[in-house]
Amino acid sequence: MKSTSFVAVALLLALAAACGNDTRIDPNAAPPTGDGRLFHRGCGTDNPTADQIAAVDALLAQARVPYALAAPVTIPVYWHVIHDGASGRLSAEAIDASIAVLNASYGGATGGAPTRFQFALAGTTYTDDATWYSDCDVSSVEAAMKAALRTGGADALNVYSCGMTGSGLLGWATFPEWYDGNPTDDGVVILDGSVPGGTAAPYNEGDTLTHEVGHWLGLYHTFQGGCRGQGDSVDDTPAERSAAYGCPIGRDTCRGDGPDPIENFMDYTDDSCMDRFTAGQAARASAAWDVFRSTAPECSIDADCDDGDACNGAEVCTAGACEAGVPVTCGAGEVCDPATGTCEAPSCLPKNAECSTDADCCSNRCKARRGVKICR
């Protein structure tokens, strides 16, 4: 049967603990000042360290299905509207428009690479709570809110919209590798004014949710790591020294890597500027889904299973689970190759070599001599 190694489990526990450092303060570069804007994009999702990224990359290498062969996934969305009377009480139309933005963005309809993901609204809750609405960016309030409202398992996207008046953030998310360590915390929190037609211009076209769901699916900021190191662990997103704001066409902060990916959903530009994921990001999110979030069967065909010692019964896929098969039975004088599960004639033992049966000696006989059987 397939299983996660002890080392991988230890890495998961360490990664899950990383979210405990979350203080709901934007961990990224400070936005520009003095341009008269009411809002600058702020994402409170913690930037992982290089060691944490390397650990996740090692786990993603275990993804069961290559991206090119991965089946489409429809993710159920549970939207929790936190409001203070009329403030923040999003309409059904605003929520539907947000889901439509997700589907267009992740489907490649806005100009980028399509991913395997689509989204379907599975439920909506409304909670009238002034404290939750204003202080959802306070860790203790966030924890209480999520404990009361979160629905579903690792494969269910829980979205919380609220006012978060203290931090000035637009949103944050949990990474998929954190789920096992704290399932209740899993999900995405966004500023209510960031939905399509909201008050948080120029971040009111719904792409804050697109950006945060990218984190929820395992993607890092395009400027992760700056110009050095493994960056965001995606080969086709050029390195970027720092977050981009507005829509600075032609910006190139890491010479030799090409222009900064300012149109990428995982940067910090205006909603009207960002419009794409890359094929590499689609593949990474797919692998993260299979490793950390998928509740799909362990296998669909026998080839998905690890045979191990094939002679003891090559594993077969039964009702979505890998199970031991029937041990191989070889004919007289044959031996089973544990790597292939095939029966083969053994090599003959030389004369005077110790033996067990005549078959060991081929044309010779296995005879006892002074208490020891040898080929004669």
Side-chain angles (χ1 to χ4, degrees):
M1 299 286 250
K2 289 184 177 178
S3 61
T4 303
S5 69
F6 175 81
V7 172
V9 171
L11 288 172
L12 280 172
L13 292 174
L15 292 163
C19 63
N21 298 323
D22 187 2
T23 58
R24 292 283 70 87
I25 297 174
D26 187 350
N28 305 298
T33 59
D35 60 0
R37 288 190 177 194
L38 178 62
F39 292 102
H40 288 96
R41 188 177 300 282
C43 169
T45 302
D46 276 354
N47 274 326
T49 66
D51 286 345
Q52 290 167 348
I53 292 176
V56 172
D57 289 350
L59 292 169
L60 295 191
Q62 302 175 19
R64 180 171 59 84
V65 180
Y67 173 60
L69 303 177
V73 173
T74 298
I75 298 174
V77 180
Y78 295 92
W79 195 298
H80 307 291
V81 180
I82 314 301
H83 60 102
D84 180 6
S87 298
R89 187 176 174 87
L90 298 181
S91 67
E93 291 76 15
I95 295 172
D96 288 343
S98 298
I99 300 297
V101 169
L102 282 181
N103 283 325
S105 302
Y106 284 86
T110 59
T115 74
R116 66 188 291 203
F117 304 107
Q118 287 287 276
F119 303 83
L121 186 64
T124 306
T125 66
Y126 285 85
T127 302
D128 190 348
D129 189 305
T131 299
W132 283 12
Y133 177 71
S134 297
D135 296 338
C136 60
D137 48 359
V138 176
S139 294
S140 59
V141 175
E142 177 195 8
M145 175 182 74
K146 289 180 173 180
L149 298 175
R150 195 186 185 285
T151 303
D155 61 339
L157 171 60
N158 281 252
V159 177
Y160 305 84
S161 58
C162 52
M164 58 180 82
T165 56
S167 64
L169 294 172
L170 288 174
W172 63 87
T174 57
F175 287 115
E177 60 266 25
W178 293 355
Y179 180 83
D180 282 347
N182 190 353
T184 303
D185 188 49
D186 188 68
V188 167
V189 183
I190 62 167
L191 179 69
D192 55 350
S194 69
V195 299
T199 58
Y203 309 113
N204 61 345
E205 297 180 14
D207 286 328
T208 290
L209 182 59
T210 304
H211 176 102
E212 300 303 341
V213 171
H215 289 315
W216 186 81
L217 288 170
L219 300 181
Y220 302 134
H221 291 126
T222 52
F223 49 88
Q224 172 70 36
C227 297
R228 298 182 179 181
Q230 69 264 51
D232 64 352
S233 293
V234 177
D235 291 339
D236 59 1
T237 55
E240 188 176 20
R241 184 177 300 279
S242 60
Y245 294 91
C247 194
I249 302 297
R251 182 179 190 253
D252 186 3
T253 56
C254 296
R255 296 296 178 183
D257 290 327
D260 292 352
I262 63 168
E263 298 92 351
N264 197 282
F265 287 119
M266 301 312 295
D267 207 336
Y268 267 16
T269 51
D270 294 351
D271 280 14
S272 60
C273 186
M274 55 175 57
D275 61 7
R276 69 195 62 181
F277 291 109
T278 67
Q281 287 174 315
R284 181 179 179 84
S286 177
W289 180 267
D290 285 344
V291 172
F292 297 117
R293 293 203 177 277
S294 177
T295 57
E298 182 181 15
C299 59
S300 57
I301 58 175
D302 291 348
D304 292 337
C305 300
D306 181 8
D307 287 338
D309 185 346
C311 296
N312 291 331
E315 286 189 338
V316 294
C317 185
T318 304
C322 293
E323 297 181 352
V326 178
V328 175
T329 301
C330 295
E334 293 184 323
V335 295
C336 179
D337 183 340
T340 63
T342 58
C343 295
E344 300 175 354
S347 299
C348 295
L349 294 174
K351 191 174 181 180
N352 296 323
E354 290 188 14
C355 56
S356 298
T357 67
D358 288 346
D360 294 337
C361 303
C362 297
S363 59
N364 296 311
R365 301 284 302 276
C366 183
K367 294 183 177 182
R369 182 180 181 184
R370 296 179 182 175
V372 178
K373 287 186 175 183
I374 61 173
C375 292
R376 297 195 57 172

